[in-house]
Amino acid sequence: MLACTKLCAIPVVPAAVIEFSKSGNSDDQLENPRPLSANDLLLETIKDSHVVVWTDGSCHLQDNPYLRRAGYGVIYDHDRLHSRTISKPLLGLEQTAQRAELRAVLAALIIENRPLHVRSDSSYVVDGVNNLLQGATVPFDGD
């Protein structure tokens, strides 16, 4: 994403991003996931009767709080497209890689009602989940 050439620090949003936003591609779609097809079931990886999903989040221009933009995704298979595979921009004012990583895990939990085996490359997510499993409380800062 390019920055304004003046000192206004307003990002120039590409037309494709604006069209994506208008098309209704929002977090609301997570509430009504697509039904599974027979092909989807063939694409899934199962481990100990749990569906394996991979989650990831990232942030572009992480060093600049005014220009950074984050996104997240959930994938069921590395090579083929599953109908519940998602890739979305992170909503909200706080755009960080850590928030995107967390949102990816939350999206997986929302769209799937079967037992999951979540794989994440984020130590932030893994450490946080391990702390929760050991009885830690979640701090809330209002965001």
Side-chain angles (χ1 to χ4, degrees):
M1 187 171 301
L2 302 173
C4 178
T5 56
K6 297 179 183 178
L7 297 176
C8 62
I10 297 173
V12 177
V13 180
V17 173
I18 294 170
E19 288 304 312
F20 178 82
S21 299
K22 290 179 183 176
S23 68
N25 291 307
S26 68
D27 280 354
D28 296 337
Q29 290 178 336
L30 296 178
E31 300 299 329
N32 299 309
R34 296 181 186 123
L36 291 171
S37 68
N39 190 46
D40 288 334
L41 297 175
L42 294 174
L43 294 176
E44 294 175 346
T45 303
I46 306 293
K47 180 180 179 182
D48 300 327
S49 71
H50 287 66
V51 178
V52 178
V53 295
W54 288 264
T55 63
D56 201 10
S58 66
C59 187
H60 182 63
L61 299 173
Q62 178 82 18
D63 295 334
N64 188 327
Y66 300 105
L67 298 178
R68 60 184 168 208
R69 296 295 176 260
Y72 63 93
V74 177
I75 189 166
Y76 284 74
D77 185 85
H78 287 294
D79 299 325
R80 295 162 293 209
L81 188 60
H82 188 284
S83 70
R84 289 190 179 174
T85 295
I86 60 170
S87 175
K88 297 198 174 286
L90 182 66
L91 301 179
L93 296 177
E94 294 294 325
Q95 299 279 313
T96 65
Q98 293 83 2
R99 287 179 59 87
E101 294 277 1
L102 284 173
R103 188 64 184 102
V105 173
L106 289 173
L109 295 172
I110 290 170
I111 63 174
E112 191 57 66
N113 59 3
R114 298 174 291 168
L116 288 179
H117 179 91
V118 178
R119 298 204 175 165
S120 174
D121 64 350
S122 169
S123 60
Y124 181 77
V125 168
V126 173
D127 293 345
V129 169
N130 286 333
N131 288 340
L132 287 174
L133 292 174
Q134 293 173 3
T137 59
V138 178
F140 181 70
D141 63 3
D143 183 29

